[in-house]
Amino acid sequence: MALGKASGTPMSGPRVLIARYSAIGDCVMAAPVPSRIRRSHPNSFLVWAIEDRCADVVDSERLIDVVAVDERTKWRRQGPRSWGPKLRFWLSLRKHKFDLGLDLQGYPKTALCLAFARPRRTVSVGGKDALSRMLVPSMKGYDPSMHIVERNLAALGELGDFPGDAAPILPEYRDIRDRLRQDWPAETPLASLSVGAGHSNKAYPAEKWAEVAQGLIARGFAVALLGGPEVQAPQIPGAIDYVGRLRLRESMAVVASSALHLAADTGSGHIAAGYGVPVVSLFGATPVARFRPYTDNGVVLEGEGSPATLDPSQVLQAATELWERNARAISH
């Protein structure tokens, strides 16, 4: 007999397919949807279709029953030959006999995923093209000014009554966190800096990150630098350089262990918000109201068309004030 994740009792809740393939930050912002379902219907059966590069974002212990991984890299390399594996992947989901399906991306690949899996009722946050809109009906309450998290939850609301807490349930990665904590002094607060960005117009210059990092070290923080293998890490004496050296789950563990996180408009800022870590976000190229980390424990600094226009002193001041505000709250 299949058991529900939250309660260990026989499943009687809805069987739900969530399709959100990428990107990392967007998947974090999708996590409130299954989190709300799990809390309001503990015995639900939840499946998340996601690309392999983002799968570590999903909590498979407490939240999701089946993480259905689309091996994006292999399929892209195969070109037209990928259709066989894709069809087999989508059709394999049909065995779960879903009651509900949510397309939280609105792309053809996620719409096709739902179409072949055949949930009894489906909704999309809004198809990006005619095929997507034909395959999965778009939510009626779509508002382009809504924050992405609120939009996702509004789409869920069109499928039924799912009240309660929507705080994202993210992987704990306790063993990884315990191992990585040995890299900085136990009594020293950690400030993690994500020094890369998905697009050049969202990036903050390496030399400015270096100034921010040096200022944080001078203020008594241990500083860890995060970024993918394509990122050029600033050379900062005394900083822990993780750039290009960690898998996603390890980077998430560093962020979750931080007293403070700083990032441009990139996935790690959303990860910090999901873990409740105070976060300073540097924006400029994208609408803050829609894409900021979804948290009350953060500060967004907005540059003029690019975060690169922000002065390091502004970033340091925001980080210091946020840290002091949290320290006062903890002391009380």
Side-chain angles (χ1 to χ4, degrees):
M1 179 182 291
L3 298 180
K5 281 213 176 283
S7 64
T9 57
M11 282 189 234
S12 58
R15 305 176 69 84
V16 185
L17 172 61
I18 295 161
R20 177 79 223 193
Y21 277 31
S22 62
I24 291 169
D26 294 301
C27 290
V28 174
M29 290 191 287
V33 168
S35 300
R36 174 167 280 180
I37 298 171
R38 177 63 70 202
R39 293 190 180 101
S40 59
H41 298 274
N43 299 326
S44 55
F45 179 76
L46 305 181
V47 177
W48 189 328
I50 192 169
E51 285 180 352
D52 48 358
R53 66 192 178 101
C54 300
D56 283 347
V57 165
V58 179
D59 186 323
S60 60
E61 296 296 324
R62 299 168 298 155
L63 180 60
I64 299 297
D65 296 278
V66 176
V67 182
V69 177
D70 176 338
E71 297 182 5
R72 167 182 179 268
T73 305
K74 181 177 70 175
W75 287 354
R76 175 172 289 186
R77 186 169 63 246
Q78 288 177 342
R81 291 180 296 168
S82 70
W83 281 102
K86 284 186 179 183
L87 286 170
R88 286 193 292 273
F89 171 74
W90 294 327
L91 288 169
S92 72
L93 298 172
R94 192 176 293 182
K95 66 187 177 187
H96 297 300
K97 299 180 180 178
F98 295 109
D99 301 302
L100 306 175
L102 290 106
D103 181 352
L104 299 183
Q105 194 153 359
Y107 281 17
K109 58 189 176 184
T110 48
L112 285 164
C113 179
L114 263 65
F116 281 101
R118 291 201 309 200
R120 289 192 297 144
R121 294 175 57 208
T122 59
V123 70
S124 167
V125 291
K128 302 297 191 295
D129 60 11
L131 175 62
S132 302
R133 292 189 292 271
M134 179 183 70
L135 292 173
V136 183
S138 296
M139 60 185 289
K140 297 175 182 177
Y142 179 75
D143 179 350
S145 67
M146 295 173 72
H147 191 279
I148 299 301
V149 171
E150 294 168 355
R151 181 204 65 179
N152 292 340
L153 292 171
L156 172 63
E158 294 193 5
L159 289 179
D161 186 21
F162 297 91
D165 187 9
I169 298 171
L170 297 180
E172 294 181 320
Y173 292 137
R174 288 180 179 174
D175 56 337
I176 301 175
R177 291 171 69 171
D178 290 342
R179 171 169 56 84
L180 291 172
R181 280 196 187 105
Q182 300 174 27
D183 292 346
W184 59 87
E187 302 302 319
T188 303
L190 177 69
S192 54
L193 279 62
S194 184
V195 296
H199 301 280
S200 58
N201 65 346
K202 297 181 179 181
Y204 195 57
E207 64 274 12
K208 292 189 174 185
W209 274 130
E211 286 189 52
V212 172
Q214 289 163 353
L216 290 169
I217 291 172
R219 286 163 171 76
F221 286 91
V223 169
L225 307 179
L226 300 173
E230 76 287 350
V231 175
Q232 184 65 41
Q235 300 301 307
I236 304 167
I240 306 164
D241 184 4
Y242 287 131
V243 175
R245 301 178 183 179
L246 301 182
R247 297 173 297 167
L248 174 57
R249 61 180 55 195
E250 292 170 322
S251 294
M252 291 178 69
V254 171
V255 174
S257 301
S258 300
L260 191 64
H261 183 69
L262 293 83
D265 176 14
T266 191
S268 68
H270 301 291
I271 291 169
Y275 282 121
V277 173
V279 56
V280 177
S281 302
L282 313 184
F283 272 64
T286 50
V288 171
R290 293 187 65 204
F291 297 106
R292 66 172 176 82
Y294 199 69
T295 178
D296 293 329
N297 196 12
V299 175
V300 178
L301 301 177
E302 191 170 8
E304 297 180 6
S306 168
T309 62
L310 294 167
D311 191 86
S313 63
Q314 296 175 263
V315 181
L316 265 174
Q317 180 179 350
T320 301
E321 291 176 354
L322 182 60
W323 165 250
E324 291 175 349
R325 187 165 73 235
N326 276 269
R328 286 195 298 271
I330 293 171
S331 65
H332 291 160

